[in-house]
Amino acid sequence: MKRFCGFAAGFVFFISGILKLVDPVGASLVMKEYYKFLHIGFLEVTAMPNALFFAFLETLIGAGLITGVWRKIVAPVALGFQSFFTFLTLL
């Protein structure tokens, strides 16, 4: 059961990351909206690099969860991602 949950979460992370890597402009627009909401609009020039970085990291986390490689590192990072972005979305 634990492996199935890891695989399911990893699949969601992997597909989400791949889709963001396919459309980096859309991902950077979302980052710009987060910057505006948090009143740190001066960081808009970093939106594209940050969007690509987070999409790539999300894809790697998904691949790690699917394969079970570095499980003790990948699982807490995935939980941190989920917690942070859930909180940010709820704001």
Side-chain angles (χ1 to χ4, degrees), residues 21-79:
L21 286 173
V22 168
D23 182 24
V25 175
S28 70
L29 289 174
V30 172
M31 290 293 289
K32 285 181 184 179
E33 289 299 318
Y34 282 140
Y35 289 160
K36 286 180 187 176
F37 177 76
L38 296 172
H39 303 290
I40 52 174
F42 62 90
L43 291 176
E44 278 192 15
V45 296
T46 66
M48 180 69 81
N50 281 340
L52 289 172
F53 172 74
F54 281 120
F56 184 69
L57 191 59
E58 189 174 4
T59 305
L60 286 178
I61 290 170
L65 286 172
I66 289 170
T67 61
V69 176
W70 296 331
R71 190 177 306 155
K72 290 185 179 187
I73 297 171
V74 173
V77 172
L79 180 64

